Amino acid sequence: MAKTAVEPIKAGLDLGNGYVKANLNGRVRVFPSIAVKQFNPDAPAVTADGIGSVVNDVINQMDLSFISPLIKSTERRLFGERALKTGKSLEEFDVYARTGKSEVDLSGVLALATIAADRLQDHYEKTGALPDGGVMKVNVDLATALPIQEHKYHMKRYKDAYLNSGQAHIVTFHNFENPVRVEIIFDYVIVINEGESAQYGLMFAKQEMLDMILKEALKSYPNGELDGITGKDLVGAPNTLGIDIGEGTIDWAVFTNRKFNPDASSTLKQGYGIVLESTLSKLIEQGYPYRSRKELSEFLHSKPSALGKMKWNHIKNINESEEDRFAASISSEISKVFDKVAGFIEVIFVFGGGATPLEWSLFGKLQERIAEFGENNLIPIVYLDSAFSRFLNVQGLYQVALRLRPNRKDAAVAAAK
């Protein structure tokens, strides 16, 4: 395929079951992995005076339609806060389904919407206007990821759908009096394993993050077990196990001699979303009006008012019971994983959006399980707070995206062949 002369954007997209984490040309975006289909759209278009307010908050305001092999259904969709406030049924990843991310429309919807929103906002910030003729053309070097097991079977088909034989994916904004069309062409695409990408995020960590990683590790080993060890030593260990706790899956990513080991790595088709779904079921039985795990998650992460504290505590207690039950099932799974890798693993990292809420129950259970494989063999468990560890995958993906395009020397050699 002939490569464009237009300067491409570099995109790392982590399409999580709970949140999209995107890094596009160094700008990080985070928003819920949800959409709402509009079967009878009737929202009025924004007038010229309102364009700026829509574009400035584009992720939470956009009304889009798509033409792409990644997306089968043609309905217009709303996103972010606007989608949550419609009161309509949410399109979200099904954490119980056997179908994977690469097999459902939502992956393509979120990926294309993120890129289109970023480009429209970037254009408006630079020009103060919508694109001439209502059309924007965008070229992209993309790095994204799939759960380890899904990657084994669906990576090529998913990658080919993005590449689309060099043809454009069409995203149309219906927010304005005149629709705005964004034509996205993917020049280079790589689909790697979730968990693998997080390890790349660790490998390229800057000193501030290395210091934070060491600080987190020392919290768990306060008696001098890690004396003389630096953050760089931890992330640079050649043989590691990463436990990536997402909302829909847990990936067990093994690196051997600094290379991803697909034979020893695996995916558990359950994630923190199972905890939220179980809590949601119990609350519905008790008459609470929550309709989705996203709505429940937003409530649990909010600070309760004085009047709402009793209700919040009740829901939090139910959720913690489900967390403890789920942590026990994870600790059982690590016995299966560790049976294959205990002989060479030097460090275990626990990270992801579901890491922090489970730490109170999971960390001790993991230590007990690992001790069964030899108490005298210290293997530090570095438990990374979700506040920054949920960005490891996307930062690793962005680093990969930066390295996708051949340099001029490589391109010249390829052209000569």
Side-chain angles (χ1 to χ4, degrees), residues 289-341:
Y290 300 110
R291 295 179 299 275
S292 70
R293 68 177 185 272
K294 185 56 59 188
E295 191 176 357
L296 173 61
S297 177
E298 293 292 324
F299 175 80
L300 287 169
H301 285 89
S302 65
K303 184 178 180 179
S305 66
L307 291 172
K309 193 168 185 179
M310 185 178 293
K311 172 185 173 183
W312 188 88
N313 285 335
H314 175 70
I315 293 174
K316 181 69 172 175
N317 287 338
I318 293 174
N319 196 63
E320 285 185 348
S321 295
E322 297 303 320
E323 286 175 346
D324 194 42
R325 187 176 293 112
F326 186 54
S329 69
I330 296 175
S331 68
S332 296
E333 286 293 323
I334 200 172
S335 294
K336 302 175 188 176
V337 175
F338 219 60
D339 188 53
K340 295 186 289 185
V341 302

Side-chain angles (χ1 to χ4, degrees), residues 196-206 209 391-393 395-397 399:
E196 175 188 3
S197 53
Q199 188 65 32
Y200 297 144
L202 289 169
M203 289 177 180
F204 290 107
K206 295 182 179 179
M209 189 171 182
F391 295 104
L392 285 174
N393 275 309
Q395 298 296 38
L397 289 167
Q399 292 298 327

Side-chain angles (χ1 to χ4, degrees), residues 368-416:
E368 291 172 6
R369 289 287 181 175
I370 291 167
E372 295 172 3
F373 290 84
E375 293 184 3
N376 296 322
N377 184 22
L378 173 65
I379 301 175
I381 303 172
V382 183
Y383 209 110
L384 303 178
D385 187 275
S386 296
F388 65 90
S389 75
R390 62 163 45 101
F391 295 104
L392 285 174
N393 275 309
V394 70
Q395 298 296 38
L397 289 167
Y398 184 61
Q399 292 298 327
V400 171
L402 291 175
R403 292 160 174 77
L404 277 179
R405 189 169 289 267
N407 60 36
R408 291 179 181 176
K409 180 179 178 181
D410 292 339
V413 171

Side-chain angles (χ1 to χ4, degrees), residues 205-233:
K206 295 182 179 179
Q207 189 60 49
E208 182 181 0
M209 189 171 182
L210 292 176
D211 292 342
M212 195 179 301
I213 288 168
L214 180 60
K215 183 179 179 180
E216 291 296 318
L218 292 175
K219 284 181 185 177
S220 304
Y221 301 92
N223 299 318
E225 296 95 333
L226 299 182
D227 282 355
I229 299 296
T230 67
K232 188 174 182 180
D233 291 331

Side-chain angles (χ1 to χ4, degrees), residues 17-79:
N17 287 279
Y19 289 87
V20 175
K21 282 82 67 180
N23 189 328
L24 299 102
N25 279 2
R27 175 185 279 185
V28 176
R29 297 181 183 275
V30 183
F31 65 99
S33 298
I34 57 168
V36 165
K37 292 181 180 179
Q38 297 192 83
F39 294 98
N40 297 295
D42 57 3
V46 175
T47 61
D49 292 340
I51 291 173
S53 62
V54 169
V55 176
N56 289 337
D57 190 29
V58 65
I59 289 293
N60 290 307
Q61 300 295 328
M62 54 192 179
D63 174 356
L64 305 178
S65 63
F66 303 85
I67 301 174
S68 166
L70 290 162
I71 303 163
K72 300 181 182 68
S73 63
T74 58
E75 295 87 4
R76 282 162 57 176
R77 288 170 166 91
L78 303 177
F79 297 82

